[in-house]
Amino acid sequence: MTVENFCRVMGFGNAEKNILEKIWDELLQSAPAGVPDFMTMDFCRKYYPLTGGAPEHLKRMEKVCEIVRQTPEAALYAWILHYGIFLRTPQINMGAFPLPTKVFGENAGIFQLMFAVSAIPLIEKTMTQMNIPVSYAHDIAKWIGGTIQIFEAGNQGIPGHTLQQSSWIRHYINGELFRIGRFEYFMHEFPAWVPAVYRNKKDGSLMVFCRDGWRFLPDGKRPPAGSASPDAVVTRLKIMDGHATGIPIAPDGKVLLHHETSIDLSEWEPVCQSWDITPSIHIPAGGHMTPELAKQSMQEAKVFFRKYLGQDVKMFVCYSWILNPDWETELPESNLAKFMREGYMTPPMESDGRDGVFFVFGKTDHADPLTYPAVNTMQKAFHRILQSGRRLQSGAIFFLTDQLDHFGTQFYRSHSRIRG
């Protein structure tokens, strides 16, 4: 089979051909004979239910399996996705490949969903190798089910999976990302977007500073990503003569640009060092992010990292469109706003103004989000923000693990010596 014939049958153009032809011989040599096992109904019946997806989608999978049996190019494409995204290093960048509607019609998204499900046995293997119960792999599978909702939002209710999200699954396979209750946790060292956090040695109070080199407009907001912003204020964190001096951040994320503060490092100590493992919280789709489930997840994660990975985690952090500070006014009674009020918010990131559009509307194009239908509460909130002239943005937050018992009391806002 030539790459030209493959692309012709699958309905791909020169862009896709140029990506594949560089490693075409490798792809052919790695491919199994016949149909990959994950494109059979035995596999689908075993693994698809773990995603929490609707059972009726199995009928669509039967149609996909029949097409794959009859179309060698489709069977090969299924393998190319599995091998190129889940197994090969480096990954093949296939997120922009079009839906193979020429072959699968309205079930093209289901074909991509079946490919995504093929990762579950690989994740099970990773958990086993790390001596982590395989039940955690099955919890991870729920993320794949969440992608069905996003695909439906952008495709008139037709189910499926968007390839743009598939590379995320590799983190599970690599043993870097874990699902623990309602949240997922990504392993990394203390990230540069988290502020400098100091704790008073006597009373345990916090002093939170902007990191060196952060940019803000004079009103304390972040400038658009990539903008010159000649009037931007650049923060400095100075550590000298036994003192740390910088621009403080209030627990609601407000930056106090005109209140430079200095602390004596004989009385204060940093909560985290740059080499400390500081997991990022990722919030999968699915709703039901109640304060109770959020607290339970973080408490269980603290135990998980100590028990299975030998890490005493000091802080959980999160950077996401879900933490847009506008939700506190636009959706004040939502679980998102309640979550933000329980942690220590930090300034929104510089962004292109489209943060979260894909996850809320399921669209991969770059059209004006106001042209997308707004059906649910979140979509309507997006429209209100844009109609008011504001930009969509992502926010950030942290939680100290030794203060998780206070979750539910708005502890940081009620006990901070920094006021916005």
Side-chain angles (χ1 to χ4, degrees):
M1 185 186 305
T2 65
V3 65
E4 290 80 9
N5 184 66
F6 169 82
C7 289
R8 178 184 60 79
V9 172
M10 296 304 302
F12 297 152
N14 286 331
E16 293 74 42
K17 173 177 171 292
N18 291 338
I19 291 173
L20 297 175
E21 65 182 354
K22 298 174 184 177
I23 53 171
W24 189 245
D25 290 341
E26 175 189 341
L27 296 174
L28 292 179
Q29 291 170 8
S30 68
V35 175
D37 65 344
F38 57 84
M39 283 287 155
T40 65
M41 285 309 299
D42 285 345
F43 185 97
C44 293
R45 293 188 185 98
K46 179 178 180 180
Y47 287 103
Y48 170 68
L50 298 174
T51 70
E56 58 264 29
H57 296 339
L58 286 167
K59 295 180 180 179
R60 289 178 176 268
M61 292 179 181
E62 290 178 358
K63 296 178 181 179
V64 170
C65 286
E66 181 61 27
I67 293 172
V68 171
R69 281 195 298 270
Q70 298 177 3
T71 313
E73 292 81 3
L76 177 59
Y77 184 45
W79 171 255
I80 289 173
L81 289 172
H82 179 84
Y83 173 77
I85 296 176
F86 295 159
L87 300 178
R88 189 178 188 271
T89 301
Q91 288 177 294
I92 305 174
N93 182 11
M94 304 183 72
F97 272 51
L99 277 168
T101 52
K102 181 178 179 181
V103 174
F104 296 103
E106 69 172 11
N107 288 324
I110 287 289
F111 166 81
Q112 294 182 170
L113 174 61
M114 293 165 66
F115 140 71
V117 172
S118 76
I120 297 177
L122 300 178
I123 300 169
E124 289 179 332
K125 181 179 179 181
T126 298
M127 296 297 106
T128 300
Q129 291 173 338
M130 298 179 73
N131 294 315
I132 297 173
V134 74
S135 60
Y136 285 97
H138 298 163
D139 289 339
I140 286 171
K142 297 173 185 175
W143 179 87
I144 298 173
T147 70
I148 300 173
Q149 302 171 26
I150 296 172
F151 187 92
E152 289 175 337
N155 292 274
Q156 295 79 49
I158 297 174
H161 169 85
T162 304
L163 286 187
Q164 189 180 58
Q165 294 190 270
S166 301
S167 61
W168 182 258
I169 299 173
R170 185 67 174 262
H171 295 304
Y172 304 122
I173 297 170
N174 291 347
E176 303 165 332
L177 183 62
F178 306 92
R179 175 90 182 237
I180 305 167
R182 180 61 187 85
F183 296 150
E184 295 179 339
Y185 297 84
F186 188 82
M187 295 284 287
H188 54 59
E189 295 180 341
F190 193 71
W193 49 265
V194 178
V197 183
Y198 289 89
R199 194 200 301 261
N200 188 277
K201 296 177 183 179
K202 291 183 178 180
D203 63 17
S205 60
L206 300 180
M207 180 60 65
V208 181
F209 288 129
C210 294
R211 297 277 281 268
D212 198 71
W214 286 5
R215 296 195 312 154
F216 295 94
L217 297 174
D219 61 2
K221 296 180 180 179
R222 288 287 186 126
S227 65
S229 303
D231 56 345
V233 178
V234 180
T235 60
R236 295 296 174 219
L237 179 59
K238 296 170 282 189
I239 301 176
M240 58 186 298
D241 299 330
H243 289 75
T245 303
I247 301 299
I249 303 167
D252 60 0
K254 290 185 174 62
V255 179
L256 308 182
L257 286 177
H258 306 294
H259 294 81
E260 186 178 74
T261 302
S262 183
I263 57 175
D264 187 334
L265 294 180
S266 67
E267 301 173 0
W268 297 77
E269 60 185 356
V271 172
C272 285
Q273 304 288 348
S274 61
W275 54 82
D276 285 329
I277 295 298
T278 310
S280 282
I281 294 173
H282 172 248
I283 305 172
H288 308 295
M289 198 185 87
T290 64
E292 294 78 15
L293 291 179
K295 179 179 181 178
Q296 180 182 357
S297 175
M298 288 189 284
Q299 288 177 323
E300 291 179 359
K302 179 181 177 181
V303 175
F304 174 92
F305 285 110
R306 179 178 177 83
K307 181 176 181 179
Y308 296 114
L309 300 177
Q311 296 286 346
D312 277 329
V313 173
K314 301 173 184 175
M315 180 188 294
F316 292 127
V317 299
C318 184
Y319 159 46
S320 173
W321 66 269
I322 286 176
L323 299 176
N324 185 336
D326 283 326
W327 302 147
E328 290 208 52
T329 54
E330 292 295 333
L331 302 169
E333 298 306 315
S334 67
N335 286 329
L336 300 183
K338 292 176 183 177
F339 182 71
M340 289 189 282
R341 290 193 286 266
E342 294 301 333
Y344 204 114
M345 291 290 291
T346 66
M349 304 291 106
E350 296 185 20
S351 74
D352 63 3
R354 295 181 59 88
D355 297 32
V357 168
F358 167 73
F359 296 101
V360 172
F361 296 98
K363 299 292 187 180
T364 57
D365 58 31
H366 292 281
D368 181 353
L370 287 174
T371 65
Y372 302 148
V375 178
N376 60 43
T377 300
M378 180 61 77
Q379 291 170 341
K380 292 176 181 177
F382 266 57
H383 276 199
R384 288 197 300 272
I385 291 172
L386 293 170
Q387 288 166 348
S388 71
R390 288 170 288 168
R391 305 172 70 255
L392 299 173
Q393 56 187 337
S394 293
I397 199 170
F398 70 79
F399 299 86
L400 301 187
T401 59
D402 61 4
Q403 294 180 343
L404 290 176
D405 288 344
H406 296 298
F407 192 101
T409 66
Q410 298 187 27
F411 176 79
Y412 295 102
R413 298 193 184 191
S414 61
H415 286 73
S416 176
R417 62 171 66 193
I418 309 173
R419 299 297 177 185

